[in-house]
């Protein structure tokens, strides 16, 4: 049973989400300020934080940054919940470590399904005999750690799954729809621009190997093996 921390100062909405998540089998905790959210996360670390961007005492961006800075909550899944839908807002959220972004207004039923999918796809990875490696990149799936030129680089849960998915299918193009279904666990009929934003952020974290993550225009993405012409 996953524990979800709901952070939103719109009490009616927060309580509606709380009611539906509890009905779906989650345990929950409500926080109406950023400080209350950080305190709650320390007292009982959640598996997922549903985090509003606009809070009365601090921004959701600052809450996200604080959660990622703490060893106790560094690996928690963070889904931003906001009325702001501009691309710049999404990118800013991803930059500080958000795993996904939901724009108000939304269907509460769809939100519950989406959170279930995110949690399912971001579950404990299966052990492998050896890490996935390519050039300067090494992805230790069992330990959930990523290295570039033997230096550890922090990835969000979805960035990790995205990189694992692409490395395991080396050289094969993955469409946005495939990625949305197989990495995010969401219907391919939903918005796919979030894929592009995550790929952009992931590419920046590959450092000297960033060119290996190729965009196939009009189709999707692939990671190429530099030893294969």
């Amino acid at each position: 049973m996953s524990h979800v921390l709901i952070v939103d100062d719109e009490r009616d909405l927060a309580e509606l989400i709380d009611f539906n998540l509890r009905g779906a089998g989650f345990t929950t905790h409500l926080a109406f300020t950023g400080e209350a959210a950080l305190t709650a996360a320390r007292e009982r670390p959640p598996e997922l934080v549903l985090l509003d961007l606009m809070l009365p005492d601090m921004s959701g961006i600052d809450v996200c940054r604080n959660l990622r800075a703490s060893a106790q909550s560094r690996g928690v899944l963070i889904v931003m919940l906001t009325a702001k839908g501009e691309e710049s807002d999404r990118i800013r959220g991803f930059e500080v470590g958000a795993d996904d972004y939901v724009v108000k207004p939304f269907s509460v039923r769809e939100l519950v399904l989406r959170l279930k999918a995110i949690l399912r796809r971001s579950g404990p990875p299966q052990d492998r005999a050896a890490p996935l490696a390519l050039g300067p990149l090494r992805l230790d799936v069992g330990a959930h750690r990523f290295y570039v030129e033997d230096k550890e680089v922090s990835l969000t849960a979805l960035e990790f799954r995205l990189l694992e998915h692409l490395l395991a299918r080396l050289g094969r193009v993955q469409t946005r729809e495939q990625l949305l279904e197989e990495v995010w666990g969401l219907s391919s009929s939903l918005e796919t621009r979030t894929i592009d934003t995550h790929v952009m952020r992931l590419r920046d974290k590959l450092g000297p190997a960033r060119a290996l993550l190729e965009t196939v225009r009009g189709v999707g993405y692939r990671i190429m093996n530099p030893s294969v012409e």
Side-chain angles (χ1 to χ4, degrees):
M1 183 182 295
S2 297
H3 183 60
V4 178
L5 174 59
I6 303 165
V7 188
D8 197 319
D9 63 336
E10 292 185 48
R11 289 177 179 263
D12 290 345
L13 177 60
E15 289 169 359
L16 177 62
I17 295 170
D18 177 69
F19 176 80
N20 280 270
L21 287 178
R22 287 181 180 273
F26 294 91
T27 62
T28 59
H29 183 89
L30 286 171
F32 303 114
T33 66
E35 193 58 46
L38 295 175
T39 299
R42 287 193 297 268
E43 293 177 349
R44 183 181 178 183
E47 279 73 42
L48 185 145
V49 178
L50 189 60
L51 177 61
D52 188 34
L53 190 61
M54 304 295 289
L55 297 169
D57 57 339
M58 65 175 73
S59 72
I61 295 293
D62 289 334
V63 174
C64 184
R65 187 179 289 113
N66 274 275
L67 290 170
R68 289 288 180 241
S70 169
Q72 188 178 24
S73 57
R74 187 170 296 151
V76 68
L77 292 165
I78 299 175
V79 177
M80 290 287 193
L81 181 63
T82 178
K84 292 188 175 181
E86 292 80 5
E87 183 178 9
S88 59
D89 294 314
R90 291 198 299 272
I91 291 174
R92 189 179 177 206
F94 291 139
E95 283 176 343
V96 297
D99 294 291
D100 207 347
Y101 209 101
V102 177
V103 179
K104 300 176 182 177
F106 53 83
S107 160
V108 175
R109 180 175 178 274
E110 182 179 318
L111 175 66
V112 172
L113 293 174
R114 188 165 184 167
L115 298 188
K116 282 184 175 181
I118 291 169
L119 285 161
R120 182 174 64 251
R121 293 293 181 176
S122 301
Q126 297 179 347
D127 290 337
R128 293 178 181 267
L132 293 170
L134 178 67
L137 309 178
R138 183 164 63 90
L139 194 72
D140 189 334
V141 180
H144 210 270
R145 304 178 82 170
F146 172 57
Y147 302 87
V148 177
E149 295 182 329
D150 295 324
K151 295 182 180 179
E152 187 168 3
V153 175
S154 177
L155 298 180
T156 67
L158 282 175
E159 286 171 348
F160 192 97
R161 290 192 63 84
L162 176 60
L163 181 57
E164 179 189 0
H165 183 90
L166 292 170
L167 281 174
R169 294 158 180 79
L170 195 61
R172 292 157 52 190
V173 178
Q174 301 298 296
T175 68
R176 291 172 177 81
E177 291 75 17
Q178 284 176 312
L179 293 173
L180 198 62
E181 289 184 346
E182 296 175 21
V183 178
W184 272 256
L186 301 175
S187 168
S188 61
S189 64
L190 297 177
E191 174 62 55
T192 60
R193 289 185 67 189
T194 186
I195 302 291
D196 302 326
T197 304
H198 272 82
V199 168
M200 181 183 69
R201 301 308 310 163
L202 177 59
R203 184 180 281 128
D204 286 343
K205 294 183 178 182
L206 299 184
R210 68 188 317 276
L212 297 180
L213 178 46
E214 295 186 342
T215 301
V216 181
R217 294 190 182 279
V219 183
Y221 299 96
R222 66 183 169 192
I223 288 185
M224 294 301 299
N225 189 336
S227 64
V228 177
E229 295 183 356

